[in-house]
Amino acid sequence: VRSKGKEVEQVRDHIYKETAGHIKGDPDQIMSCYAPGAAIFWANGRGPETWTVAVAGDSLRTQYAGPKRDNPSPPSNEPPNAREMTHVDVKDNHAIAVSRHWSTRRDSTARETIFNEFRSVWMLAKIEGEWKITSAIGAVTADQEIRKWRK
């Protein structure tokens, strides 16, 4: 008998593993999270009529096949990029999850601070005992705020 709470925790951990792979620049870690034939769609915070297929199937590996890199930490005066899981629902061997991502970037040339936030939707299936991402829609919602610095 499976515990729904444990399944929800496994799904959360799996999405965190995928996003951590992006932060570290580790294509192997990213790819290990996806099912064969997975597809990622890009919404860019706009209506569904504008959504596109961003990466699918074999092109997923090509997209993330670049060399591993360590992304530098942000300067100490900037908060790091952050993410949280805001919703997970599991039924049998299928799950849907929603993640919230946000970041802040200072632009000293333009003398402004840029705040970005978006939410993504993840669909998963338990395949041979492991959760795998079967599809995702990135940036279902997206917001940006730019604050000019005082002179």
Side-chain angles (χ1 to χ4, degrees):
V1 175
R2 296 185 339 203
S3 160
K4 187 170 182 177
K6 183 175 178 139
E7 298 286 329
V8 166
E9 184 179 332
Q10 289 172 351
V11 168
R12 285 179 196 272
D13 290 347
H14 194 75
I15 300 300
Y16 283 137
K17 177 182 174 184
E18 194 273 356
T19 56
H22 286 279
I23 292 167
K24 292 189 321 188
D26 186 339
D28 294 332
Q29 180 171 327
I30 296 165
M31 289 305 302
S32 73
C33 297
Y34 286 88
I40 302 171
F41 306 91
W42 188 246
N44 203 24
R46 297 189 180 114
E49 294 81 6
T50 66
W51 295 3
T52 60
V53 179
V55 184
D58 291 339
S59 64
L60 186 65
R61 180 159 296 283
T62 304
Q63 173 88 12
Y64 300 128
K68 291 184 180 184
R69 66 189 186 284
D70 287 325
N71 285 347
S73 297
S76 60
N77 62 343
E78 286 189 30
N81 294 337
R83 63 205 179 282
E84 68 178 343
M85 299 303 299
T86 60
H87 174 72
V88 177
D89 188 51
V90 176
K91 183 170 175 106
D92 300 323
N93 289 324
H94 298 278
I96 188 164
V98 178
S99 59
R100 175 180 166 249
H101 308 257
W102 64 95
S103 64
T104 303
R105 184 175 57 85
R106 293 164 132 0
D107 183 336
S108 58
T109 303
R111 300 187 45 76
E112 62 191 19
T113 303
I114 303 162
F115 301 91
N116 291 298
E117 180 178 322
F118 65 93
R119 285 179 171 72
S120 295
V121 177
W122 309 83
M123 283 65 69
L124 301 91
K126 195 163 229 187
I127 301 170
E128 297 179 5
E130 281 190 64
W131 286 106
K132 294 290 182 179
I133 300 165
T134 55
S135 61
I137 305 172
V140 172
T141 64
D143 294 301
Q144 184 178 77
E145 179 184 347
I146 299 173
R147 293 186 192 158
K148 292 289 188 184
W149 299 355
R150 293 184 183 155
K151 295 184 183 206

